[in-house]
Amino acid sequence: MNRRNFSRELERIIEKQTEKPTLLLHSCCGPCSSSVLEYLVPHFKVSIFWYNPNIYPESEFDKRYDTLKELLEKMNLSGQVGIIDTQWRSDEYFSAVAGYENEPEGGARCERCFRLRLEECAKTAAELSFDYFASTLTVSRHKNAVLINAVGEEVAEKEGAVWLPSDFKKHDGENRSVELCELFHLYRQLYCGCKYSLLRRNNYEST
């Protein structure tokens, strides 16, 4: 069975373009958005969708959102890339993962988290008539790009939107994001975002 090359699929879409389509890009954080925006902005009219009810606690949510805005300013994109934001709605995350609290990182709890965020992005993309929607999630080597693309395509069909395939970690995307964070002196978080990843990190550091 041939494994899909999502990065190449995206390249083919770009190659066929005669004008810039609109793209609603779900951003999980500023650092992950950095290299993704650098890659996408020349080819798409990008708007960022900030919906991350998984981030815990609320102070961390605010810090990551402020870092995203700082990134846009330092990349000179503030006047070009808008943000559609939402307030901290952690109840929606905890409801989505109820019963999966003890799942390991990368397991069923994470899949439900991906689905929650991507479904909301797909819904918004359809409502606002964006040509595509995508997510910065695939830039991380810790995230399963095959799963994220599968969920993205599934919620796209459900909501009447068009998913843009991606594997942004390709072509050194993750390392480039680290370089940009260092260049711009951005806050770079030390855990994925949710309460359970924070607890896991704290337990690891205490051993």
Side-chain angles (χ1 to χ4, degrees):
M1 181 178 178
N2 292 328
R3 182 167 177 168
R4 288 173 61 184
N5 186 330
F6 299 105
S7 179
R8 183 58 187 144
E9 288 182 28
L10 174 53
E11 289 170 2
R12 291 195 186 101
I13 290 171
I14 291 173
E15 288 167 1
K16 292 177 181 178
Q17 290 174 179
T18 56
E19 58 183 29
K20 284 186 178 183
T22 56
L23 170 65
L24 186 62
L25 178 67
H26 166 258
S27 168
C28 59
C29 64
C32 286
S33 301
S34 59
S35 63
V36 176
L37 286 169
E38 185 178 61
Y39 177 75
L40 291 175
V41 166
H43 308 292
F44 296 88
K45 296 176 184 176
V46 179
S47 295
I48 287 177
F49 186 63
W50 176 256
Y51 174 70
N52 296 293
N54 57 304
I55 297 176
Y56 181 90
E58 187 174 6
S59 59
E60 179 71 15
F61 177 91
D62 293 338
K63 193 170 187 177
R64 295 192 191 192
Y65 181 57
D66 289 342
T67 301
L68 175 63
K69 292 189 292 183
E70 181 185 357
L71 170 72
L72 293 181
E73 291 173 3
K74 291 184 173 179
M75 290 185 73
N76 296 316
L77 292 175
S78 295
Q80 185 177 353
V81 176
I83 303 177
I84 299 172
D85 60 3
T86 60
Q87 300 300 310
W88 191 56
R89 294 171 3 202
S90 61
D91 56 318
E92 295 176 5
Y93 169 74
F94 288 118
S95 177
V97 303
Y100 294 82
E101 293 86 351
N102 296 320
E103 286 287 317
E105 292 296 301
R109 186 184 68 245
C110 293
E111 179 178 353
R112 295 178 75 84
C113 179
F114 297 155
R115 186 176 303 279
L116 173 67
R117 291 184 282 171
L118 294 183
E119 189 166 26
E120 191 70 15
C121 189
K123 188 181 303 181
T124 303
E127 289 174 353
L128 299 179
S129 300
F130 277 85
D131 295 315
Y132 296 100
F133 77 102
S135 176
T136 61
L137 286 165
T138 64
V139 80
S140 171
R141 68 182 182 276
H142 299 295
K143 300 293 188 292
N144 184 334
V146 174
L147 172 61
I148 292 166
N149 278 278
V151 172
E153 289 174 345
E154 183 181 329
V155 298
E157 183 175 358
K158 175 184 176 183
E159 300 296 340
V162 181
W163 171 253
L164 188 71
S166 73
D167 192 351
F168 292 121
K169 71 176 68 65
K170 299 292 186 181
H171 308 299
D172 220 25
E174 185 177 24
N175 288 337
R176 178 57 178 162
S177 72
V178 174
E179 290 176 0
L180 289 169
C181 284
E182 292 176 350
L183 175 66
F184 297 135
H185 305 290
L186 296 177
Y187 164 68
R188 193 159 172 258
Q189 62 272 7
L190 297 177
Y191 64 102
C192 178
C194 73
K195 175 181 179 180
Y196 310 106
S197 62
L198 176 60
L199 290 173
R200 179 174 176 269
R201 178 173 182 81
N202 288 343
N203 288 337
Y204 174 79
E205 290 180 341
S206 65
T207 58

